Amino acid sequence: MIARKYPNSYFLFFLLAIILLPMMELSAQAFTRDEFKDSIQNIPYFTIHKDNYFITGLPTNTSVNSNTANAKYQISFKQMITRNALPWDTYLFATYSQKAFWDVYKESFPFREINFNPSIGVGKAIFNKRDRLKGIISINFEHESNGRDSIFSRSWNRLNIEYATNLSDKIRARGKLWLPFAYKKGNSDILEYRGLGELQLSYEMKPNKLYFEVLLRKGLTWDTKGTYRPRIYYSPFKKNRSNQYFMLEWYVGQAESLMDYKAFTSMVRIGYVIKSNELNFLKGK
């Protein structure tokens, strides 16, 4: 049985990291302003947004059977609407992500739930005093729902501000804060479980070979509601130009899906992933 508690330092670390992210500097090999503009012009219009994966596993806090073991997959992409700089050197983009929970161990292979997550936003590169790329900031409108009606409907909307930067040559951080609205019907207390933001840290142990990543969220209560989701990515391929990995994920906490956002989950899953590379600009030259 997994205890429904997190380290006491988790809450302080989460808030401190969100505040300090914009103050971090990148390595000396970061892109210059002109190099970044050239790179933006050369990237494809259609790319991966979040990780695309298919993973399967079992719970660690309850009995294992066909009702508790399942599969989870995600499809996510990003469309650059314009690569020509808008006012204030911003760029317009749209994204779409779809996450599904699939009961593949039941007789008829039913889908338990599908969550739909479109967004539209603008991005902007941030440069330091030496005119080197320091981070990427974006503001976007995001909708998330399970596409169902009546008492089974779950949906919410939010205005996000997101900032990604490097904490060192091997550690990347992404902080995200949101202002929710139009979410009271069906899930009025969702912020108690999802909170007002999240922090993601990624450690590059071996370039294009081995990564460790953790996602942290804290609900808007003084108890332990929230999310702790570590992941390990490993590629057996020599050059791995296709950005393909095997991924081990442990999800601990609430709000893994919209339908059961109040339920505590402790699931270990493993599978195949095409890892997102939309922040490769931060790796530098």
Side-chain angles (χ1 to χ4, degrees):
M1 180 71 71
I2 299 296
R4 302 187 185 188
K5 294 183 178 179
Y6 306 89
N8 291 332
S9 60
Y10 161 71
F11 309 112
L12 178 60
F13 174 75
F14 178 82
L15 294 174
L16 184 62
I18 288 289
I19 294 172
L20 292 180
L21 281 183
M23 301 170 61
M24 301 297 179
E25 293 290 336
L26 292 180
S27 67
Q29 297 300 314
F31 284 116
T32 64
R33 190 182 300 269
D34 290 338
E35 288 170 339
F36 177 79
K37 289 182 177 180
D38 290 341
S39 297
I40 283 288
Q41 295 302 316
N42 292 324
I43 64 173
Y45 276 101
F46 188 81
T47 59
I48 290 177
H49 178 43
K50 301 176 183 177
D51 291 345
N52 286 252
Y53 60 76
F54 183 94
I55 55 178
T56 182
L58 44 83
T60 65
N61 65 328
T62 187
S63 59
V64 178
N65 53 56
S66 60
N67 292 315
T68 58
N70 63 17
K72 180 174 71 168
Y73 71 79
Q74 180 169 272
I75 300 170
S76 182
F77 56 82
K78 181 177 183 178
Q79 174 69 31
M80 187 77 75
I81 297 175
T82 175
R83 289 189 291 195
N84 297 318
L86 298 174
W88 304 291
D89 289 327
T90 58
Y91 300 87
L92 184 65
F93 62 86
T95 72
Y96 176 79
S97 300
Q98 181 175 308
K99 181 169 60 176
F101 298 86
W102 193 3
D103 289 332
V104 296
Y105 302 106
K106 290 185 177 181
E107 184 176 353
S108 60
F109 301 93
F111 281 93
R112 181 182 304 177
E113 183 178 6
I114 301 176
N115 293 164
F116 307 92
N117 182 207
S119 77
I120 187 167
V122 292
K124 177 178 174 61
I126 305 298
F127 298 89
N128 61 21
K129 295 179 180 179
R130 301 189 304 274
D131 210 33
R132 296 278 180 174
L133 182 63
K134 181 179 180 181
I136 298 175
I137 191 170
S138 63
I139 298 175
N140 60 82
F141 164 75
E142 191 171 352
H143 171 78
E144 188 174 9
S145 69
N146 64 354
R148 302 181 68 175
D149 58 8
S150 71
I151 62 172
F152 303 106
S153 175
R154 301 287 186 272
S155 68
W156 65 315
N157 302 284
R158 52 195 183 267
L159 183 65
N160 302 324
I161 181 168
E162 184 174 341
Y163 184 73
T165 188
N166 285 349
L167 304 184
S168 72
D169 289 341
K170 294 184 176 294
I171 300 176
R172 183 178 303 160
R174 182 186 338 212
K176 187 175 182 179
L177 297 173
W178 49 73
L179 178 65
F181 61 95
Y183 66 94
K184 296 293 185 179
K185 187 176 181 180
N187 39 244
S188 60
D189 58 349
I190 193 170
L191 298 184
E192 294 182 16
Y193 303 87
R194 290 293 294 265
L196 291 175
E198 65 184 29
L199 173 67
Q200 181 176 296
L201 299 171
S202 179
Y203 175 51
E204 184 183 56
M205 303 172 74
K206 291 186 178 181
N208 302 316
K209 177 65 68 172
L210 185 63
Y211 289 84
F212 174 76
E213 181 183 287
V214 62
L215 175 73
L216 305 171
R217 285 196 295 256
K218 175 65 186 74
L220 287 185
T221 58
W222 291 107
D223 55 21
T224 57
K225 294 185 180 74
T227 299
Y228 171 68
R229 192 203 66 192
R231 285 176 172 175
I232 295 176
Y233 300 83
Y234 172 72
S235 171
F237 309 108
K238 290 185 177 181
K239 294 185 179 181
N240 196 25
R241 294 175 179 173
S242 57
N243 219 33
Q244 300 177 80
Y245 294 82
F246 291 106
M247 181 177 75
L248 176 65
E249 176 190 275
W250 182 27
Y251 191 102
V252 185
Q254 290 85 9
E256 184 179 30
S257 69
L258 284 178
M259 187 65 204
D260 299 320
Y261 68 91
K262 296 182 181 181
F264 177 82
T265 300
S266 179
M267 290 286 295
V268 175
R269 299 184 181 95
I270 190 170
Y272 166 79
V273 58
I274 304 174
K275 198 174 187 300
S276 172
N277 58 5
E278 70 174 355
L279 293 178
N280 276 3
F281 292 115
L282 296 178
K283 286 186 175 182
K285 295 175 286 183

